[in-house]
Amino acid sequence: MFDSPLSASAYEVLGVDPSATAEEIKRAFRLRLRQTHPDAGGDASAFIQVQRAWELVGTPEGRAAYDRGHGFATASSTTTTEQDWSGWRAPAPRTDTRPKARAYGHPGGWRRERYLALIREWAGHGVDVPDPYDPALVRSAPLEIRRLLADALAEEATASTVSDLGMGFTVWHDVAVGTDPADKLDHVVLSPSGLYGVMSEDFAEVVRFRRGEIIGRGVDGRAPVATLLGRMRVVARAAKVRFGGAIIVLPDDDLDQAVTALGKVRGVPVVVVRRSALSMVLRQGVPGARDIGGNELFDVRTRLQHTVRFV
């Protein structure tokens, strides 16, 4: 909830300055609890956020750890190791020897490269940026730059989940669907349960649904479902394959329930899933999706291998 580049900080949720005293934070917490309590007409998700914010900064020890990890600590109060920490850097190569899914392409790679270019451009020419993932720097950057990093992290998390499913799965990441690198299909996943187009997103809020589409403030007028289906059609036509379903993966805190089935949209079964539920959905299959097996699975993999281009 508070670990996304798009998330409000615990202090913003409580409505206090990061330099507030412990007593000021306590008073703000009690006030925000009353304001957001569902029995008083408040929003349930906001009420949960307030409680979580208090858990993070309500004690001296918790607040010190939160400040170090989110860029609020002063230089005099942190060690070099603590200042260098950031959970937003590119993941280190995995060294375990368990069988992994066949994987092609670089998940989140295009968005990370774009983020690094824009964060340095935004900081200013000639300005040294020793750590482009420093939480204080990221938090102060414009929304469109933070969104690039958030989406890269989301794609990397999905890739990690699919990788752990084993050799029965094949995945292509950052698949090009046109001349603009931004118009890409985040993941194409081939499994015994079907062929799926997958989009990894982070809206930093609990989303809602209307007429087969995702809506909410964080969605900002975009149409994720329609966008995903459009990009899947490009890949399907080029490779002469048929997708069995579409999956949109969101952080667990963005969804009220683990799996939301939107039914068939433009003839394709669509589900929106929490990140923690993705493995289950890929193993069991999207409701209404057609299974792929035997020679057909081999044929689909070969067609995609010969056709897929990467951004």
Side-chain angles (χ1 to χ4, degrees):
M1 185 179 292
F2 294 98
D3 292 328
S4 165
L6 299 175
S7 299
S9 72
Y11 298 108
E12 290 171 324
V13 169
L14 294 175
V16 297
D17 190 86
S19 61
T21 65
E23 185 58 34
E24 288 171 335
I25 291 176
K26 183 183 292 186
R27 287 200 300 268
F29 167 62
R30 291 171 176 169
L31 174 62
R32 292 291 291 142
L33 272 185
R34 292 194 298 270
Q35 292 174 336
T36 60
H37 199 291
D39 290 345
D43 181 80
S45 61
F47 183 67
I48 293 172
Q49 276 196 321
V50 170
Q51 294 178 82
R52 178 61 178 144
W54 172 254
E55 291 174 4
L56 292 171
V57 300
T59 65
E61 298 80 8
R63 184 179 183 183
Y66 177 82
D67 286 355
R68 287 194 299 269
H70 292 76
F72 291 102
T74 62
S76 61
S77 65
T78 61
T79 67
T80 301
T81 300
E82 289 166 340
Q83 286 175 305
D84 287 345
W85 180 89
S86 174
W88 296 335
R89 294 191 180 93
R94 303 180 66 173
T95 58
D96 60 87
T97 58
R98 292 173 298 171
K100 301 296 180 185
R102 299 179 180 89
Y104 305 93
H106 188 174
W110 179 82
R111 285 198 166 99
R112 273 201 183 270
E113 288 185 358
R114 187 67 179 145
Y115 166 78
L116 290 172
L118 290 181
I119 196 74
R120 291 190 168 99
E121 180 182 311
W122 170 74
H125 294 294
V127 176
D128 185 31
V129 182
D131 183 4
Y133 299 111
D134 176 74
L137 175 68
V138 174
R139 193 177 58 252
S140 62
L143 175 63
E144 60 269 22
I145 296 179
R146 290 185 284 127
R147 181 172 284 148
L148 283 167
L149 179 56
D151 286 344
L153 291 165
E155 291 174 33
E156 290 162 359
T158 293
S160 178
T161 297
V162 177
S163 178
D164 287 337
L165 292 174
M167 293 296 290
F169 292 77
T170 306
V171 56
W172 294 262
H173 304 291
D174 267 7
V175 175
V177 297
T179 57
D180 185 349
D183 293 332
K184 67 183 184 68
L185 185 49
D186 294 345
H187 323 272
V188 174
V189 180
L190 177 63
S191 76
S193 71
L195 175 65
Y196 303 111
V198 182
M199 175 183 283
S200 302
E201 287 284 355
D202 181 351
F203 297 120
E205 67 164 7
V206 178
V207 299
R208 295 172 288 119
F209 305 96
R210 179 189 297 160
R211 297 176 182 174
E213 190 53 89
I214 301 173
I215 61 173
R217 289 175 301 174
V219 181
D220 194 25
R222 292 172 288 167
V225 173
T227 299
L228 173 58
L229 293 175
R231 293 172 182 177
M232 288 166 55
R233 281 198 301 274
V234 174
V235 175
R237 284 198 299 265
K240 295 181 172 58
V241 297
R242 179 182 174 188
F243 282 94
I247 304 172
I248 295 181
V249 187
L250 302 182
D252 285 14
D253 291 319
D254 284 11
L255 287 172
D256 284 330
Q257 56 189 28
V259 180
T260 299
L262 301 183
K264 286 191 175 182
V265 181
R266 300 180 186 176
V268 179
V270 179
V271 295
V272 185
V273 305
R274 287 178 176 170
R275 191 174 293 155
S276 61
L278 178 60
S279 294
M280 175 196 69
V281 170
L282 287 174
R283 289 188 186 280
Q284 297 180 358
V286 169
R290 185 173 60 90
D291 291 348
I292 294 179
N295 292 336
E296 184 182 6
L297 189 149
F298 177 79
D299 180 59
V300 170
R301 182 187 296 123
T302 301
R303 289 173 181 270
L304 288 167
Q305 281 290 75
H306 290 166
T307 308
V308 162
R309 297 178 298 107
F310 303 101
V311 298

